[in-house]
Amino acid sequence: NLQADNIVVGGQEIYVAGDLTVKGLFWGDYNHGDLVVTGEIAVLVFISTDYNFDHKRFEAGDRVRVAYWLWDETEDEFDREQLEALFRPECLEE
């Protein structure tokens, strides 16, 4: 099992043989990375920007509990108001 407050990963593969629990943010970036979890997934905010994960499992809700799921494959641009509700202003400066 892997438990973390936050995870930000760019291009690495993460393989969890058990459960993944992230209290805050999981942000996967870059297409060479891949998230594989054999157990339960519980994440408050999950963001994927060109990062590989089992999106069919997420869409089906198969042992996945994610409160906020942002995926660049389904959105041209993330909604600014939603981001402002999830992140501190200094994290969103342009």
Side-chain angles (χ1 to χ4, degrees):
N1 296 333
L2 174 59
Q3 296 181 17
D5 290 333
N6 299 289
I7 296 175
V8 178
V9 60
Q12 293 79 16
E13 181 172 333
I14 296 178
Y15 182 89
V16 181
D19 298 338
L20 171 65
T21 304
V22 181
K23 294 178 186 175
L25 170 68
F26 179 100
W27 180 6
D29 184 56
Y30 193 58
N31 63 3
H32 288 103
D34 195 22
L35 174 65
V36 177
V37 179
T38 62
E40 301 278 331
I41 298 172
V43 180
L44 180 62
V45 180
F46 184 93
I47 299 176
S48 171
T49 48
D50 202 23
Y51 189 78
N52 298 312
F53 65 101
D54 189 348
H55 57 87
K56 290 181 182 178
R57 178 179 172 187
F58 273 62
E59 289 170 340
D62 178 17
R63 296 172 297 131
V64 175
R65 290 180 291 123
V66 175
Y68 303 96
W69 177 24
L70 304 168
W71 182 26
D72 65 349
E73 291 289 321
T74 60
E75 303 177 49
D76 290 332
E77 186 174 306
F78 296 136
D79 179 54
R80 183 70 183 198
E81 287 183 19
Q82 184 179 24
L83 293 175
E84 288 172 348
L86 298 172
F87 297 98
R88 288 188 239 171
E90 60 268 21
C91 295
L92 298 174
E93 294 178 1
E94 294 179 25

